[in-house]
Amino acid sequence: MRTEPLLSQADDLLARGRAANAANLLAPIVGRQPENVDAWHRMARAHLAMGDFDAALRAARAAWHFDPHGPETLYWVSRAATELGRHREAIDAALDACREDPGNPRLHNRLADAQLAAGRVGDALDGLKMAVELAGYDADLHVTHGRALFAAGRPLSARESIGRALALEPGHAGAHRTLALFEIAMESVVDASSLAQAADEFAESLRVGPHGRVDERALLARDAMGYAARVTLTWCLIALLALGVLSATSLVTVPAGLYLALLCLGATAACGAFLFRATLRHKL
């Protein structure tokens, strides 16, 4: 049975975000050909995309059984183990992958991600410094390096690293998302102690604990909603001030209902801004 067309089809489904369909396509292949390492890799990727991390690790370990030294196999073992908070296994697998293919920046990036998820910021920085020197052409490495630098309390260097990533790939989604997260983290910084606290909170947000990792997209969505609430509050206050001036000069008669509506809208926006900000500070 030729599986290459089916594996290519699975790749296409995964690229289009249809992980469940890809898993259904791959299931008969791994059932008939349990030694098909490439199919297990894709199965692990599909289950990771679906959020089923236990199944992802089982798939990666099935590949490892037939390919214990394969860098790609070790990569997926590490990815799945990180999402489950099994940091020792994740770091060891990533280290083994880097030893097998030391020139592959993707594997060094995986090792740094595993270390950051375990709270080992210093180790991640040490490895990334060497990896970036060897593979400065890789935008993902610069993004991960920027995150590690911010977690270490070096926000200016972190922004420079993200800038290098964007110079290489202007549309890099991870770089833009990371810059937005930096903005959220820096909002409360006014001195050295608050910077240290912001860095610690950012480092904590990169960790994978018993409840999983922080959902960055949800975090950014909350920040956008909080921004909209703050803008609404500002315009309500401006409108109230303008109406007060017009009423005081007797240029127009302002209905009391309009004042009431603006006050209610402003109060709602103020509550929303406060709640969204409190949620963000708790999450990050």
Side-chain angles (χ1 to χ4, degrees):
M1 173 183 173
R2 292 185 67 249
T3 59
E4 289 81 4
L6 294 176
L7 294 181
S8 296
Q9 186 179 349
D11 286 336
D12 180 63
L13 289 169
L14 288 167
R16 290 189 284 136
R18 297 171 61 183
N21 297 95
N24 291 334
L25 177 67
L26 292 163
I29 300 175
V30 297
R32 289 191 292 266
Q33 301 179 9
E35 75 285 355
N36 193 322
V37 171
D38 290 335
W40 283 119
H41 291 165
R42 289 162 174 80
M43 184 68 86
R45 179 183 169 189
H47 283 298
L48 280 168
M50 290 158 44
D52 189 348
F53 305 132
D54 286 304
L57 186 57
R58 286 196 297 271
R61 284 176 172 170
W64 182 87
H65 180 75
F66 296 99
D67 182 38
H69 302 294
E72 187 70 10
T73 295
L74 291 165
Y75 173 89
W76 291 110
V77 170
S78 179
R79 275 279 308 270
T82 286
E83 298 304 327
L84 288 167
R86 300 181 184 183
H87 300 304
R88 171 60 64 183
E89 182 178 359
I91 291 171
D92 287 346
L95 280 169
D96 289 342
C98 290
R99 293 189 191 103
E100 295 293 333
D101 187 5
N104 190 332
R106 178 168 170 260
L107 301 179
H108 290 282
N109 198 53
R110 168 89 288 272
L111 174 59
D113 276 335
Q115 290 167 331
L116 289 172
R120 293 168 56 174
V121 176
D123 291 340
L125 271 178
D126 290 341
L128 284 165
K129 181 180 178 181
M130 292 184 291
V132 166
E133 289 177 357
L134 295 171
Y137 54 84
D138 190 275
D140 290 338
L141 269 181
H142 286 294
V143 172
T144 305
H145 193 206
R147 289 180 172 231
L149 286 166
F150 196 100
R154 298 165 58 186
L156 295 179
S157 297
R159 288 180 183 277
E160 289 174 1
S161 187
I162 302 301
R164 285 190 285 273
L166 290 172
L168 291 166
E169 292 184 30
H172 196 290
H176 288 290
R177 186 166 64 249
T178 299
L179 282 178
L181 292 170
F182 287 174
E183 292 297 327
I184 295 173
M186 290 294 291
E187 284 184 358
S188 62
V189 173
V190 294
D191 54 21
S193 61
S194 58
L195 173 59
Q197 181 181 353
D200 289 344
E201 290 174 352
F202 185 81
E204 189 64 27
S205 76
L206 300 178
R207 297 191 63 170
V208 176
H211 304 294
R213 66 169 72 242
V214 170
D215 187 344
E216 293 179 350
R217 288 181 174 82
L219 200 67
L220 293 172
R222 291 191 191 100
D223 184 60
M225 296 171 71
Y227 175 78
R230 292 192 297 273
V231 170
T232 301
L233 174 61
T234 300
W235 281 107
C236 284
L237 293 174
I238 292 172
L240 284 169
L241 179 61
L243 290 176
V245 171
L246 291 174
S247 179
T249 56
S250 301
L251 292 176
V252 295
T253 301
V254 180
L258 182 55
Y259 279 118
L260 181 61
L262 285 171
L263 286 170
C264 290
L265 180 59
T268 302
C271 290
F274 175 79
L275 290 174
F276 283 123
R277 177 52 50 206
T279 302
L280 284 172
R281 295 307 303 164
H282 175 71
K283 292 290 185 180
L284 186 60

